[in-house]
Amino acid sequence: MSKEDNKEIVARWFKGFWDNPWDPNIVDELAAPDILLQYSLHAPRRGREDVKAFMIQFRKAFPDLKFLGV
């Protein structure tokens, strides 16, 4: 896989996971089944369903969240 391919995947993940509106299907599409998501101030999350459940709750708390600049 080329550097450009990797950049494209990261950009798709960032847009799908952190953009607004977010797309929970990006987790199933790009993440490994045993994904480990670790963010400070939050307990680690493992597995696609656990990560999606975390983000659903996170988005309820911060519905206007949007990151820019990938």
Side-chain angles (χ1 to χ4, degrees), residues 18 20 22 41-42 45 52-67:
W18 291 114
N20 196 348
W22 83 292
L41 305 177
H42 299 281
R45 299 299 188 111
K52 287 190 285 187
F54 167 76
M55 281 307 288
I56 288 167
Q57 291 300 313
F58 195 84
R59 291 299 182 138
K60 284 180 183 176
F62 303 99
D64 298 328
L65 180 71
K66 183 172 184 169
F67 288 89

Side-chain angles (χ1 to χ4, degrees), residues 27 31-37 45-53:
V27 176
D34 63 344
I35 181 176
L36 176 61
L37 182 71
R45 299 299 188 111
R46 182 170 299 276
R48 291 174 179 157
E49 294 307 313
D50 194 26
V51 169
K52 287 190 285 187

